[in-house]
Amino acid sequence: MTEPTHDEAHGGALGARLNWLRAAVLGANDGIVSTAGLVVGVAGATDDRSALLTAGLAGLLAGSMSMAAGEYVSVSTQRDSEKAALAVEKRELRERPEAELEELTGLLQERGLSRDVAREAAEQLTARDALRAHARVELGIDPDQLTNPWHAAWASFLSFTVGALLPLLAIVLPPADRRLAVTVVSSLAALVLTGWSSARLGAADPVRAALRNVLGGALAMGVTYAAGVLLGAAGV
């Protein structure tokens, strides 16, 4: 008899992977879409290679730093909240251990255990490591795996840079008459890849994720190109 297999991740491993995945995928998508939109918009107004390179490089540097700073601030706030919650729990365990034991018992009962089994489990968990038990059961926090703002910041910085390099190179390397087509096609193909990859890693629908990415990127490039054409025609 074949035993069932389980492909899904559990607990802290899933949380850590999804936190990294969120920062990396958002960074790559933003790098592709924002830089492609920027250089396609400039290409609508001028075909000067130097202007395109300057605009794309400026967008890459500004965007990567912005993404890294934003992720650092966001995840730092989350980490501070987690540490504050753990500090409160530690104080409560010190000041009212019996009430906390009863609270843990109730939480375990809510998960389907009988009163007697929940009480015994709560006592064993408390004896082993009371703070860790309450952190995981009550707060959903693993004290050993608090979110790391530097990891998220670097993931966003690097993924944005990698994503932005594609449209930047696509707009400056090909001949002038092919730049726009190469940039649009390569950017949309990259968005398909990032959408599909993020969905597969997150056990979501890859077709829907890829389509969502492509539609968003196509809209961004269409709008900025139209704006560039209008500004170029107006001589701005």
Side-chain angles (χ1 to χ4, degrees), residues 22-202:
R22 176 183 62 85
V25 170
L26 284 177
N29 282 348
D30 200 23
I32 295 167
V33 174
S34 62
T35 306
L38 177 61
V39 296
V40 165
V42 175
T46 179
D47 60 357
D48 182 70
R49 190 189 302 268
S50 178
L52 293 170
L53 177 60
T54 300
L57 187 57
L60 184 155
L61 294 174
S64 61
M65 295 301 296
S66 176
M67 285 290 294
E71 281 296 320
Y72 182 83
V73 171
S74 175
V75 176
S76 291
T77 300
Q78 180 181 347
R79 183 183 178 91
D80 290 343
S81 298
E82 292 172 343
K83 293 173 71 175
L86 290 173
V88 170
E89 199 63 39
K90 186 175 182 179
R91 185 182 70 247
E92 291 178 345
L93 285 167
R94 183 176 64 253
E95 295 176 352
R96 48 172 199 166
E98 286 301 322
E100 289 298 299
L101 178 61
E102 182 62 31
E103 181 182 31
L104 183 58
T105 300
L107 291 170
L108 292 173
Q109 280 186 272
E110 292 176 2
R111 297 191 176 192
L113 299 181
S114 67
R115 169 70 185 179
D116 292 341
V117 173
R119 182 69 177 190
E120 181 180 354
E123 290 175 349
Q124 291 184 11
L125 290 171
T126 299
R128 180 176 299 176
D129 193 326
L131 180 60
R132 185 184 305 278
H134 279 267
R136 290 180 173 176
V137 177
E138 180 181 349
L139 304 176
I141 298 174
D142 186 342
D144 295 328
Q145 294 185 1
L146 297 182
T147 53
N148 190 314
W150 285 109
H151 289 173
W154 278 111
S156 293
F157 178 86
L158 294 175
S159 58
F160 185 100
T161 300
V162 171
L165 280 173
L166 176 65
L168 175 59
L169 295 176
I171 202 70
V172 298
L173 294 182
D177 60 339
R178 299 180 182 177
R179 288 175 186 164
L180 186 60
V182 171
T183 301
V184 171
V185 171
S186 61
S187 297
L188 294 181
L191 290 174
V192 170
L193 179 60
T194 57
W196 183 86
S197 299
S198 64
R200 293 294 296 174
L201 290 172

